[in-house]
Amino acid sequence: MTRTAKLATLPLGFAGRTALGFGKRTIGRPAEAVALEVQRRTAEQLFAVLGELKGGAMKVGQLLSIFEAGLPEEVAGPFRASLTRLQESAPPMPAATTHKVLAEWLGDDWRDYFDAFDDRPAAAASIGQVHKAVWHDGRTVAVKVQYPGAAQALMSDFNQISRLSRLFTPLFPGVEVKPVVADLKRRLEKELDYVDEARAQTAFHDAYADDPDFVVPAVVAQAGNVLITEWLDGTPLAKVIADGPQDRRDRAGLLLFRFLLSGPARCEMIHIDPHPGNFRLLDDGRLGVLDFGGAAHVPAELQWSIGRLLRIGTLGDPDEIVDGLRAEGFLSPDAEVDPEEVADLVGPHAAPFAVERFRYSREWMREQTARGFGLAADMRPGSLARQFRLPPQYLAVSRALSGCGGVLCQLEAEGAYRAEAERWLPGFADDGGPDLDDRTEATA
């Protein structure tokens, strides 16, 4: 009831600010200035409430915080610091509650498993918090404890947020929020399953064992709503974004991109939650990766399709782009579109892979965001927006790569991203990949 009441303050606050804005316009204040003020106040309240509530509400806030690079600077600037804090922390639950969860899943003698246990949480995230401890064999470990009632709170949050989706319009005009929230709901249901997360993390750990670029902590133990892994030190990516020197920003950005692209090739999985709180830049230059609750399967056939589509996009031939999008289901077979219009939309997103080196920037992201808003706002019969669709098999990969792009823009990172695509994406550096029979055989 308390959570619902807090979420209910959002539409009330929005209505009040809108009424106030209308009043100010009637006494002569410029409409643009009033709209900006409403936008700022809405964002301030929105992120404050989402961060406090944890669960699905905070997860939505984390997703939005990744894409703040696409907001106009005059809007994003004043509350960028609060978004960064949202990526890294949330109010913790009491120590007594943590002990109760540990006793429920590890037994009343749960302390016997540890040589030391810090009651102060090292991190508090959307559906659980992490405590630093020393395992009985001397290893320093991270003990991830799920909030009691997290599943019920998550479902309630998403049902409520879906109904309040119009509140996000001042921040992201033209974006259809409900489908995004629905996909997040499905993914977070999976994240609540620590058995599945432990399995995914073990697969990544094995695939990247002794890797010179990455560290994936090993799973030490798992029971119910408790997951114990090796501890990982390092500089949070949010801090690198806030004040890191350019060489570390470039290094972090390239490694983040390499990790997301190499996962499907190395273990047929992709990490789909690339917000900065899940990554650490180690002193030796490696990238540490956390939180595998959102990992998704990417079969070999889909890897070929992604590589081939990206290659077609970099070539820039409008007719080839349309044919490729039709073949993969982004356009219906009978869709009547202007190939030049499609190429104008797709081309900029392929730009990082059409040149040897590319610098991601907030300005570039804002340009792409504005272009997307323009497309989404045009809902006339026959418009491109009405004929574009995102095939289900691309949903997880799209979330991962678009989220990665948002973080790269926050980092203002420069790197050889085309070379990474050539290395890890089959079908990108050749004539478009094998035929369907070959791809089917490769998948098998």
Side-chain angles (χ1 to χ4, degrees):
M1 291 175 62
T2 301
R3 298 173 65 80
T4 301
K6 288 183 177 180
L7 282 171
T9 65
L10 293 175
L12 293 174
F14 178 74
R17 285 187 296 275
T18 304
L20 176 62
F22 177 78
K24 288 182 177 179
R25 284 195 297 272
T26 63
I27 59 174
R29 284 198 61 185
E32 294 80 4
V34 173
L36 181 58
E37 181 178 344
V38 170
Q39 192 172 37
R40 283 175 175 166
R41 293 189 180 184
T42 298
E44 183 179 25
Q45 183 191 16
L46 179 67
F47 288 109
V49 172
L50 295 184
E52 183 181 355
L53 288 178
K54 304 186 178 77
M58 183 181 170
K59 204 67 176 180
V60 171
Q62 288 177 337
L63 178 68
L64 294 178
S65 71
I66 293 174
F67 296 105
E68 60 87 11
L71 295 172
E73 180 60 28
E74 64 271 19
V75 175
F79 53 85
R80 185 170 291 138
S82 66
L83 299 186
T84 301
R85 288 195 299 271
L86 181 60
Q87 293 164 344
E88 276 294 310
S89 64
M93 63 178 168
T97 306
T98 303
H99 298 168
K100 183 177 180 180
V101 176
L102 290 169
E104 178 182 358
W105 296 106
L106 299 181
D108 292 336
D109 57 350
W110 63 270
R111 287 191 181 275
D112 293 344
Y113 289 102
F114 303 95
D115 287 345
F117 185 90
D118 192 344
D119 282 339
R120 297 167 300 176
S126 53
I127 60 176
Q129 65 187 37
V130 177
H131 292 259
K132 190 174 185 179
V134 178
W135 196 237
H136 57 79
D137 62 5
R139 282 183 290 176
T140 303
V141 295
V143 183
K144 187 174 181 179
V145 181
Q146 190 173 120
Y147 301 126
Q152 297 91 328
L154 186 150
M155 295 303 107
S156 175
D157 286 352
F158 273 94
N159 291 335
Q160 184 84 337
I161 290 170
S162 181
R163 290 193 291 269
L164 304 179
S165 58
R166 64 185 180 83
L167 297 177
F168 295 88
T169 301
L171 298 180
F172 299 91
V175 171
E176 286 291 333
V177 176
K178 284 190 176 182
V180 174
V181 172
D183 178 57
L184 278 173
K185 182 177 179 180
R186 288 191 296 270
R187 289 292 167 186
L188 280 171
E189 287 174 332
K190 184 178 179 182
E191 285 188 42
L192 288 163
D193 184 355
Y194 282 3
V195 174
D196 186 78
E197 180 174 351
R199 187 183 303 117
Q201 183 160 341
T202 299
F204 275 96
H205 173 77
D206 293 345
Y208 289 88
D210 301 319
D211 191 279
D213 293 325
F214 306 104
V215 178
V216 177
V219 173
V220 175
Q222 187 279 319
N225 291 342
V226 176
L227 175 61
I228 303 170
T229 67
E230 293 176 334
W231 181 263
L232 186 65
D233 284 314
T235 303
L237 203 55
K239 183 170 177 54
V240 179
I241 290 172
D243 54 22
Q246 191 59 53
D247 60 338
R248 282 175 66 81
R249 301 165 79 89
D250 292 343
R251 173 71 176 170
L254 185 65
L255 289 182
L256 173 62
F257 185 77
R258 181 177 297 165
F259 184 77
L260 293 186
L261 239 60
S262 64
R266 296 174 72 162
C267 59
E268 289 202 342
M269 299 183 76
I270 190 168
H271 187 296
I272 68 167
D273 197 7
H275 78 76
N278 289 336
F279 299 90
R280 301 285 186 270
L281 193 60
L282 279 61
D283 291 341
D284 61 10
R286 293 182 296 170
L287 185 71
V289 187
L290 307 170
D291 197 346
F292 292 84
H297 180 55
V298 184
E301 182 176 351
L302 183 56
Q303 295 175 42
W304 277 105
S305 298
I306 295 168
R308 184 174 60 254
L309 279 178
L310 187 59
R311 176 180 181 274
I312 292 172
T314 60
L315 295 176
D317 182 281
D319 291 325
E320 282 195 41
I321 291 174
V322 170
D323 289 344
L325 293 175
R326 285 191 200 278
E328 293 301 323
F330 288 87
L331 293 169
S332 62
D334 58 349
E336 297 182 3
V337 296
D338 179 354
E340 295 290 343
E341 184 182 7
V342 175
D344 287 343
L345 176 67
V346 173
H349 294 281
F353 316 104
V355 293
E356 294 303 315
R357 293 186 66 84
F358 183 84
R359 178 177 292 282
Y360 282 89
S361 67
R362 296 178 186 274
E363 180 181 2
W364 179 81
M365 175 64 82
R366 285 193 288 269
E367 290 174 357
Q368 310 321 312
T369 303
R371 183 178 287 107
F373 286 171
L375 170 68
D378 183 6
M379 296 304 292
R380 296 171 298 172
S383 67
L384 187 57
R386 285 187 174 274
Q387 302 183 78
F388 240 114
R389 64 187 68 175
L390 183 61
Q393 68 269 27
Y394 282 91
L395 202 55
V397 173
S398 176
R399 176 184 166 188
L401 296 182
S402 60
C404 176
V407 175
L408 293 178
C409 289
Q410 290 179 325
L411 286 164
E412 301 272 344
E414 179 179 343
Y417 298 103
R418 177 182 174 86
E420 297 298 320
E422 291 173 343
R423 179 181 179 184
W424 299 111
L425 284 180
F428 178 75
D430 53 28
D431 61 357
D435 60 27
L436 182 60
D437 291 337
D438 289 338
R439 285 187 283 133
T440 304
E441 182 179 352
T443 303

